[in-house]
Protein backbone atom coordinates (compact mmCIF):
# COMPACT_ATOMS: atom_id res chain seq x y z
CA UNK A 1 0.00 0.00 0.00
CA UNK A 2 2.86 2.43 0.60
CA UNK A 3 4.10 2.08 -3.00
CA UNK A 4 2.81 4.88 -5.24
CA UNK A 5 4.58 3.94 -8.46
CA UNK A 6 5.95 0.66 -9.76
CA UNK A 7 7.99 -0.18 -12.85
CA UNK A 8 9.64 -3.26 -14.36
CA UNK A 9 12.69 -4.45 -16.22
CA UNK A 10 12.98 -3.88 -20.00
CA UNK A 11 14.31 -6.04 -22.80
CA UNK A 12 15.69 -4.10 -25.79
CA UNK A 13 15.84 -5.48 -29.32
CA UNK A 14 16.79 -4.09 -32.71
CA UNK A 15 19.90 -1.89 -32.95
CA UNK A 16 20.52 -2.30 -29.21
CA UNK A 17 19.99 -5.67 -27.56
CA UNK A 18 19.90 -6.67 -23.91
CA UNK A 19 18.00 -6.15 -20.67
CA UNK A 20 17.83 -3.03 -18.51
CA UNK A 21 17.34 -3.84 -14.84
CA UNK A 22 16.78 -0.77 -12.65
CA UNK A 23 17.05 -0.83 -8.83
CA UNK A 24 14.18 -2.64 -7.14
CA UNK A 25 13.62 -0.88 -3.81
CA UNK A 26 12.67 2.71 -3.00
CA UNK A 27 15.91 3.73 -1.27
CA UNK A 28 18.15 2.67 -4.15
CA UNK A 29 15.74 4.08 -6.75
CA UNK A 30 15.62 7.62 -5.36
CA UNK A 31 19.40 7.70 -4.87
CA UNK A 32 19.93 6.72 -8.49
CA UNK A 33 17.30 9.22 -9.65
CA UNK A 34 19.68 12.00 -8.68
CA UNK A 35 21.86 10.86 -11.59
CA UNK A 36 19.63 9.15 -14.13
CA UNK A 37 16.15 7.76 -14.74
CA UNK A 38 15.42 4.66 -12.67
CA UNK A 39 11.88 3.80 -13.72
CA UNK A 40 10.38 2.25 -16.83
CA UNK A 41 7.92 4.77 -18.23
CA UNK A 42 6.37 2.31 -20.70
CA UNK A 43 5.38 -0.22 -18.03
CA UNK A 44 4.96 1.97 -14.93
CA UNK A 45 1.74 2.00 -12.95
CA UNK A 46 0.83 4.88 -10.62
CA UNK A 47 -1.83 5.03 -7.92
CA UNK A 48 -4.77 7.07 -9.17
CA UNK A 49 -5.30 8.55 -5.70
CA UNK A 50 -1.74 9.91 -5.76
CA UNK A 51 -2.25 11.50 -9.17
CA UNK A 52 -5.49 13.17 -8.07
CA UNK A 53 -4.20 14.34 -4.70
CA UNK A 54 -1.11 16.07 -6.11
CA UNK A 55 -2.55 16.84 -9.58
CA UNK A 56 0.37 15.02 -11.18
CA UNK A 57 0.99 15.31 -14.91
CA UNK A 58 3.84 15.57 -17.37
CA UNK A 59 5.57 18.93 -17.78
CA UNK A 60 4.62 20.07 -21.30
CA UNK A 61 7.75 22.22 -21.49
CA UNK A 62 9.90 19.07 -21.58
CA UNK A 63 9.87 17.66 -25.12
CA UNK A 64 12.13 14.83 -23.92
CA UNK A 65 12.64 13.18 -20.52
CA UNK A 66 9.13 14.08 -19.33
CA UNK A 67 8.96 10.87 -17.32
CA UNK A 68 12.29 11.53 -15.56
CA UNK A 69 11.10 15.02 -14.62
CA UNK A 70 7.86 13.60 -13.21
CA UNK A 71 9.67 10.93 -11.16
CA UNK A 72 11.96 13.61 -9.69
CA UNK A 73 8.94 15.55 -8.42
CA UNK A 74 7.25 12.39 -7.17
CA UNK A 75 10.28 11.13 -5.27
CA UNK A 76 9.37 13.25 -2.24
CA UNK A 77 5.68 12.34 -2.38
CA UNK A 78 5.59 8.55 -2.35
CA UNK A 79 7.62 5.36 -2.40
CA UNK A 80 8.91 3.71 -5.58
CA UNK A 81 9.46 0.08 -6.53
CA UNK A 82 10.43 -2.00 -9.57
CA UNK A 83 9.50 -5.60 -10.28
CA UNK A 84 12.40 -7.92 -11.07
CA UNK A 85 10.71 -9.13 -14.26
CA UNK A 86 10.87 -8.18 -17.93
CA UNK A 87 7.32 -7.09 -18.71
CA UNK A 88 8.01 -4.97 -21.78
CA UNK A 89 10.13 -5.24 -24.93
CA UNK A 90 11.31 -2.06 -26.64
CA UNK A 91 12.75 -1.74 -30.14
CA UNK A 92 15.79 0.54 -30.38
CA UNK A 93 16.42 2.11 -33.78
CA UNK A 94 19.86 3.38 -34.74
CA UNK A 95 18.65 6.95 -35.23
CA UNK A 96 16.97 6.96 -31.78
CA UNK A 97 20.39 6.68 -30.16
CA UNK A 98 21.79 9.94 -31.54
CA UNK A 99 18.66 11.96 -32.26
CA UNK A 100 18.28 15.20 -30.29
CA UNK A 101 21.20 14.37 -27.98
CA UNK A 102 21.81 18.02 -27.09
CA UNK A 103 18.17 18.57 -26.15
CA UNK A 104 18.13 15.36 -24.13
CA UNK A 105 21.26 16.43 -22.21
CA UNK A 106 19.78 19.86 -21.49
CA UNK A 107 16.61 18.32 -20.09
CA UNK A 108 18.54 15.74 -18.08
CA UNK A 109 20.54 18.54 -16.49
CA UNK A 110 17.37 20.52 -15.72
CA UNK A 111 15.97 17.54 -13.82
CA UNK A 112 19.26 16.92 -12.03
CA UNK A 113 19.57 20.60 -11.11
CA UNK A 114 16.03 20.53 -9.70
CA UNK A 115 16.91 17.59 -7.46
CA UNK A 116 20.28 18.98 -6.42
CA UNK A 117 18.70 22.30 -5.47
CA UNK A 118 15.50 20.94 -3.90
CA UNK A 119 16.86 17.94 -2.01
CA UNK A 120 20.52 18.86 -1.37
CA UNK A 121 20.33 22.69 -1.48
CA UNK A 122 23.11 22.81 -4.09
CA UNK A 123 23.42 25.17 -7.06
CA UNK A 124 25.85 23.33 -9.38
CA UNK A 125 28.15 25.14 -11.77
CA UNK A 126 28.26 24.18 -15.43
CA UNK A 127 31.43 22.17 -14.82
CA UNK A 128 29.86 20.37 -11.86
CA UNK A 129 26.81 19.47 -13.95
CA UNK A 130 29.14 18.12 -16.63
CA UNK A 131 30.91 16.01 -14.03
CA UNK A 132 27.59 14.82 -12.65
CA UNK A 133 26.47 13.69 -16.11
CA UNK A 134 29.77 11.99 -16.91
CA UNK A 135 29.52 9.89 -13.76
CA UNK A 136 26.94 7.77 -15.60
CA UNK A 137 28.43 8.20 -19.09
CA UNK A 138 31.89 8.13 -20.66
CA UNK A 139 33.71 11.41 -19.88
CA UNK A 140 34.19 13.67 -22.88
CA UNK A 141 37.90 14.19 -22.17
CA UNK A 142 38.47 10.54 -21.31
CA UNK A 143 39.61 9.21 -17.95
CA UNK A 144 42.24 11.85 -17.29
CA UNK A 145 43.74 13.06 -14.02
CA UNK A 146 41.73 16.25 -14.39
CA UNK A 147 38.54 14.21 -14.64
CA UNK A 148 39.42 12.15 -11.55
CA UNK A 149 40.03 15.33 -9.56
CA UNK A 150 36.69 16.78 -10.68
CA UNK A 151 34.88 13.58 -9.68
CA UNK A 152 36.58 13.50 -6.28
CA UNK A 153 35.61 17.08 -5.48
CA UNK A 154 32.02 16.65 -6.67
CA UNK A 155 31.39 13.40 -4.78
CA UNK A 156 32.71 15.03 -1.61
CA UNK A 157 30.31 17.94 -2.17
CA UNK A 158 27.34 15.61 -2.67
CA UNK A 159 28.17 13.62 0.46
CA UNK A 160 28.56 16.77 2.59
CA UNK A 161 25.28 18.20 1.29
CA UNK A 162 23.39 15.00 2.12
CA UNK A 163 24.83 15.00 5.63
CA UNK A 164 23.24 18.43 6.04
CA UNK A 165 19.82 17.69 4.50
CA UNK A 166 19.50 13.97 5.24
CA UNK A 167 17.25 13.57 2.21
CA UNK A 168 18.87 10.50 0.68
CA UNK A 169 18.90 7.30 2.77
CA UNK A 170 22.12 5.92 4.17
CA UNK A 171 24.07 3.76 3.64
CA UNK A 172 22.49 3.51 0.16
CA UNK A 173 23.57 7.00 -0.89
CA UNK A 174 27.20 6.53 0.17
CA UNK A 175 27.22 3.07 -1.44
CA UNK A 176 26.12 4.60 -4.75
CA UNK A 177 28.75 7.35 -4.56
CA UNK A 178 31.37 4.68 -3.83
CA UNK A 179 30.25 2.66 -6.89
CA UNK A 180 30.52 5.77 -9.07
CA UNK A 181 33.99 6.49 -7.69
CA UNK A 182 35.11 2.92 -8.39
CA UNK A 183 33.77 3.18 -11.96
CA UNK A 184 35.59 6.47 -12.50
CA UNK A 185 38.98 5.32 -11.18
CA UNK A 186 39.29 1.63 -12.09
CA UNK A 187 42.65 0.77 -13.65
CA UNK A 188 43.98 4.34 -13.88
CA UNK A 189 47.37 3.72 -12.26
CA UNK A 190 48.99 4.81 -15.53
CA UNK A 191 48.04 8.40 -14.64
CA UNK A 192 50.92 8.33 -12.19
CA UNK A 193 51.57 9.62 -8.69
CA UNK A 194 49.07 12.45 -9.03
CA UNK A 195 46.32 9.88 -9.44
CA UNK A 196 47.68 7.96 -6.45
CA UNK A 197 47.42 11.04 -4.25
CA UNK A 198 43.80 11.77 -5.24
CA UNK A 199 42.84 8.11 -4.86
CA UNK A 200 44.44 7.84 -1.42
CA UNK A 201 42.70 10.95 -0.10
CA UNK A 202 39.18 10.11 -1.31
CA UNK A 203 36.68 9.06 1.36
CA UNK A 204 35.19 6.65 -1.19
CA UNK A 205 38.46 4.89 -1.98
CA UNK A 206 39.34 1.31 -1.08
CA UNK A 207 42.85 2.54 -0.27
CA UNK A 208 42.00 3.00 3.42
CA UNK A 209 41.30 -0.75 3.62
CA UNK A 210 44.44 -1.85 1.78
CA UNK A 211 47.04 -3.95 3.56
CA UNK A 212 50.63 -2.70 3.64
CA UNK A 213 51.53 -4.98 0.71
CA UNK A 214 48.54 -3.76 -1.32
CA UNK A 215 49.61 -0.16 -0.71
CA UNK A 216 53.16 -0.93 -1.86
CA UNK A 217 51.86 -2.55 -5.06
CA UNK A 218 49.51 0.37 -5.64
CA UNK A 219 52.29 2.97 -5.46
CA UNK A 220 54.59 0.81 -7.59
CA UNK A 221 51.93 0.77 -10.34
CA UNK A 222 51.54 4.54 -10.12
CA UNK A 223 55.32 5.02 -10.27
CA UNK A 224 55.52 2.74 -13.32
CA UNK A 225 52.82 4.87 -14.92
CA UNK A 226 55.08 7.93 -14.60
CA UNK A 227 58.02 6.04 -16.15
CA UNK A 228 55.96 4.74 -19.07
CA UNK A 229 54.61 8.21 -19.88
CA UNK A 230 58.18 9.55 -19.97
Amino acid sequence: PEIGICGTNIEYFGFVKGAWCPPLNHKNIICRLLFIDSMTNSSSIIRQSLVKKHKLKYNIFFLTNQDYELWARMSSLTKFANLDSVLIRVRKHENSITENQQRVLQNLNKVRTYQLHTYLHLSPTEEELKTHHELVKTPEEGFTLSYVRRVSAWLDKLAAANQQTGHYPEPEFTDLLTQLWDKSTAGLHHLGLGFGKVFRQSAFSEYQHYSLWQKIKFWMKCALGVIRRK
Side-chain angles (χ1 to χ4, degrees):
E2 72 276 8
I3 301 300
I5 175 171
C6 184
T8 72
N9 294 345
I10 304 177
E11 182 183 345
Y12 290 113
F13 66 100
F15 183 71
V16 173
K17 297 179 177 65
W20 180 66
C21 304
L24 303 181
N25 67 71
H26 174 72
K27 291 181 178 181
N28 288 326
I29 290 171
I30 64 167
C31 288
R32 184 183 166 95
L33 272 176
L34 181 61
F35 298 89
I36 199 164
D37 198 350
S38 303
M39 302 296 294
T40 310
N41 185 44
S42 304
S43 62
S44 291
I45 55 175
I46 305 176
R47 287 193 182 276
Q48 188 180 61
S49 57
L50 187 69
V51 174
K52 289 182 176 179
K53 179 181 178 180
H54 298 284
K55 298 180 180 179
L56 296 172
K57 58 183 179 180
Y58 289 126
N59 187 332
I60 62 173
F61 295 104
F62 278 72
L63 298 180
T64 65
N65 309 101
Q66 287 183 328
D67 50 339
Y68 184 32
E69 193 274 338
L70 179 61
W71 311 151
R73 283 186 281 127
M74 290 181 61
S75 65
S76 63
L77 303 176
T78 188
K79 289 191 175 182
F80 290 62
N82 280 308
L83 300 179
D84 191 18
S85 303
V86 174
L87 297 183
I88 188 166
R89 299 181 73 234
V90 177
R91 183 189 298 275
K92 280 284 188 179
H93 298 280
E94 184 174 1
N95 60 358
S96 68
I97 305 299
T98 57
E99 191 175 29
N100 298 322
Q101 285 298 305
Q102 190 60 36
R103 179 182 293 170
V104 169
L105 177 57
Q106 289 174 352
N107 286 334
L108 282 172
N109 281 340
K110 285 181 182 178
V111 179
R112 290 163 177 157
T113 300
Y114 166 81
Q115 295 177 91
L116 289 166
H117 180 73
T118 304
Y119 304 135
L120 292 178
H121 302 164
L122 290 175
S123 299
T125 65
E126 188 174 325
E127 183 178 75
E128 287 172 337
L129 272 180
K130 178 183 178 183
T131 303
H132 196 86
H133 176 68
E134 290 176 337
L135 282 168
V136 290
K137 298 292 182 181
T138 302
E140 186 178 313
E141 68 188 77
F143 291 93
T144 64
L145 182 55
S146 172
Y147 170 71
V148 173
R149 286 172 174 157
R150 285 196 286 115
V151 168
S152 178
W154 182 236
L155 292 181
D156 285 345
K157 198 168 185 176
L158 291 175
N162 196 52
Q163 286 181 354
Q164 292 294 319
T165 66
H167 176 77
Y168 293 99
E170 292 290 3
E172 287 80 6
F173 190 67
T174 295
D175 288 345
L176 177 58
L177 297 187
T178 301
Q179 291 171 25
L180 294 172
W181 173 251
D182 291 343
K183 168 186 170 294
S184 301
T185 58
L188 297 184
H189 304 90
H190 65 277
L191 295 178
L193 300 176
F195 165 76
K197 182 178 179 180
V198 177
F199 187 83
R200 179 190 63 188
Q201 293 175 344
S202 173
F204 306 100
S205 173
E206 293 181 356
Y207 184 88
Q208 55 191 312
H209 303 297
Y210 282 178
S211 66
L212 177 59
W213 175 237
Q214 286 175 313
K215 290 177 179 177
I216 291 173
K217 289 197 296 182
F218 172 80
W219 287 107
M220 287 178 63
K221 289 181 179 179
C222 291
L224 285 172
V226 174
I227 295 172
R228 287 169 181 166
R229 283 191 297 167
K230 289 182 178 180

